[in-house]
Amino acid sequence: MEDPFPSHPSLARYALHHLDPSLLQDLLQRLAREVEAYLSHRDPDPPFTSWTPPA
């Protein structure tokens, strides 16, 4: 990618308006699983055990 990069709010607004809600939900669940897996390898006592995106 070349500069300028879109801001986080711009990306979030785009996602909410242009992505299918079920696809967005699937992406958030996958991201949550990947973050949990990453943290579980780095910290044997993570600050949380699970996160589920709001319905």
Side-chain angles (χ1 to χ4, degrees):
M1 293 183 88
E2 295 181 19
D3 289 332
F5 296 109
S7 67
H8 180 267
S10 294
L11 292 172
R13 190 171 30 257
Y14 179 87
L16 289 174
H17 287 95
H18 298 284
L19 293 180
D20 180 82
S22 62
L23 174 61
L24 187 56
Q25 184 70 26
D26 291 344
L27 290 170
L28 290 172
Q29 288 173 351
R30 179 178 174 179
L31 177 61
R33 285 191 307 270
E34 289 182 14
V35 167
E36 287 178 356
Y38 175 77
L39 291 177
S40 69
H41 293 327
R42 294 191 63 209
D43 187 354
D45 187 24
F48 60 89
T49 56
S50 181
W51 180 79
T52 303

